[in-house]
Amino acid sequence: MVVWNSSDTGEPTFILRGFPGLEYIHTWLSIPFCLAYLVAFVGNIIILSVIWIESSLHQPMYYFLSILALTDLGMCLSTLPTMVSVLWLDAREIQASACFAQLFFIHTFTFLESSVLLAMAFDRFVAICCPLHYSTILTNSVIGKIGLTCLLRSMGLVLPTPLLLRRYHYCHVNNLSHAFCLHQDVLKLSCSDARINSIYGLCVIATIGVDSLFILLSYVLILNAVLGIASREEQLKALNTCVSHICVVLIFFVPVIGVSMIHRFGKHLSLTIHILMADIYLLLSPVLNPVVYSVRTRQIRLGILHNFGLARRL
């Protein structure tokens, strides 16, 4: 047990549990996780490289995809060090300051991904509903400002949480539930009045819900515009440009909302379910996003094949 109060000269140490009850096979469990990280890193780096190299992909849609790939890489880098330490080295202790820093980056990249997906929905809305003004509305300057706004918004939303956590007293058993630090997981160890963090956390989570509603609204408007197109072939062509984005939206929002609800209202559920949902929430998007865009987006697929000298086989 570790206590953190005003008389303490040092900061507490938390214990990352990884997979409780399965410690004896942590090394084996590390194999699928390392493969997932490898796929995420390789996939997102390939997406970034192809967009960088292929001048035909220097368009707003692919610039936003680049930001999404960078966000996924950031998410992986936020969790990889402690995941490897726990599963490979059985080094499960983490200082409070490192834990707070990790949860800051994890949640910042989560909200950044939500913001980027909203920006990509706006991109699809402009491309389909205002095609003649697409290039004048989404200039490089505007895209840069949107990207910076997404980043500052995400950091601003998350920054108060680690600052508040530092002020709390921790006098419960210091075992965390995962192989990484999450805000809700650390908060439950506090013996201080943490209502501010709890209420603020709910408000912050609500912003993801607002993002999802705006994305839904954008697709209602897109669908309305598409139905106004006379040719069925043109309708399908317009909708096809949205399929990849719809897939990554579902891949992101379903696990995020699921893990938030489980943390808030599923305390009676098995710890295994909590751990599994958190791992899915952190790894599913970085792993599947580049796969979706590589398979569903012809320009990305052609760029990958061209840069690997396989274009003739397409």
Side-chain angles (χ1 to χ4, degrees):
M1 180 181 295
V2 174
V3 180
W4 190 8
N5 54 41
S6 57
S7 64
D8 289 328
T9 57
E11 61 180 4
T13 298
F14 297 119
I15 304 298
L16 301 170
R17 299 179 68 185
F19 296 88
L22 299 176
E23 290 83 0
Y24 63 98
I25 58 169
H26 269 180
T27 302
W28 291 105
L29 288 174
S30 70
I31 296 175
F33 279 97
C34 288
L35 289 175
Y37 279 111
L38 181 62
V39 171
F41 280 117
V42 172
N44 285 290
I45 289 172
I46 287 176
I47 294 289
L48 288 169
S49 301
V50 168
I51 294 174
W52 176 271
I53 294 170
E54 294 290 331
S55 58
S56 62
L57 299 181
H58 294 175
Q59 302 175 28
M61 173 183 175
Y62 301 106
Y63 290 146
F64 285 124
L65 179 55
S66 297
I67 299 174
L68 183 67
L70 288 171
T71 302
D72 287 335
L73 287 173
M75 180 69 82
C76 288
L77 289 172
S78 298
T79 58
L80 180 62
T82 54
M83 187 71 79
V84 169
S85 296
V86 171
L87 296 182
W88 276 6
L89 308 176
D90 197 33
R92 297 190 288 166
E93 293 186 357
I94 183 171
Q95 294 295 315
S97 56
C99 185
F100 298 153
Q102 184 182 48
L103 68 87
F104 169 76
F105 284 112
I106 289 175
H107 293 298
T108 294
F109 283 117
T110 296
F111 289 106
L112 180 56
E113 182 138 355
S114 176
S115 301
V116 173
L117 290 175
L118 177 58
M120 295 174 78
F122 175 69
D123 166 76
R124 291 298 84 207
F125 167 77
V126 175
I128 293 175
C129 299
C130 311
L132 298 179
H133 303 286
Y134 181 66
S135 59
T136 57
I137 294 175
L138 289 174
T139 63
N140 290 346
S141 174
V142 170
I143 293 170
K145 290 176 182 177
I146 291 175
L148 182 60
T149 300
C150 290
L151 178 60
L152 294 178
R153 172 192 186 236
S154 304
M155 294 178 65
L157 282 171
V158 178
L159 184 59
T161 54
L163 297 179
L164 287 170
L165 287 173
R166 290 188 63 85
R167 299 171 60 88
Y168 292 153
H169 301 261
Y170 295 88
C171 51
H172 298 301
V173 176
N174 60 337
N175 288 331
L176 297 174
S177 302
H178 310 288
F180 39 80
C181 296
L182 295 177
H183 170 254
Q184 302 93 325
D185 204 21
V186 174
L187 188 62
K188 71 183 182 183
L189 301 181
S190 171
C191 55
S192 301
D193 184 356
R195 281 179 294 180
I196 294 177
N197 254 56
S198 184
I199 294 171
Y200 183 74
L202 283 173
C203 294
V204 170
I205 291 172
T207 62
I208 289 184
V210 172
D211 287 351
S212 64
L213 289 177
F214 276 115
I215 292 173
L216 179 61
L217 175 62
S218 70
Y219 274 103
V220 170
L221 297 174
I222 287 171
L223 184 60
N224 182 62
V226 169
L227 292 176
I229 300 175
S231 170
R232 180 173 178 81
E233 182 180 347
E234 290 181 355
Q235 288 179 348
L236 294 175
K237 183 178 179 181
L239 289 175
N240 191 55
T241 64
C242 301
V243 172
S244 297
H245 180 252
I246 293 173
C247 289
V248 299
V249 165
L250 293 175
I251 288 169
F252 172 76
F253 279 103
V254 172
V256 167
I257 294 174
V259 76
S260 299
M261 293 301 100
I262 284 178
H263 268 290
R264 292 285 173 179
F265 309 111
K267 294 180 174 59
H268 61 286
L269 296 176
S270 167
L271 181 59
T272 303
I273 296 177
H274 286 261
I275 295 171
L276 182 61
M277 283 298 300
D279 291 335
I280 291 174
Y281 139 64
L282 291 174
L283 281 175
L284 196 65
S285 288
V287 171
L288 292 186
N289 286 352
V291 175
V292 168
Y293 274 98
S294 298
V295 173
R296 290 293 315 170
T297 307
R298 184 172 182 272
Q299 292 85 345
I300 294 290
R301 187 168 67 250
L302 284 172
I304 293 173
L305 295 173
H306 178 264
N307 284 280
F308 280 92
L310 300 173
R312 294 180 180 178
R313 300 183 186 180
L314 184 66

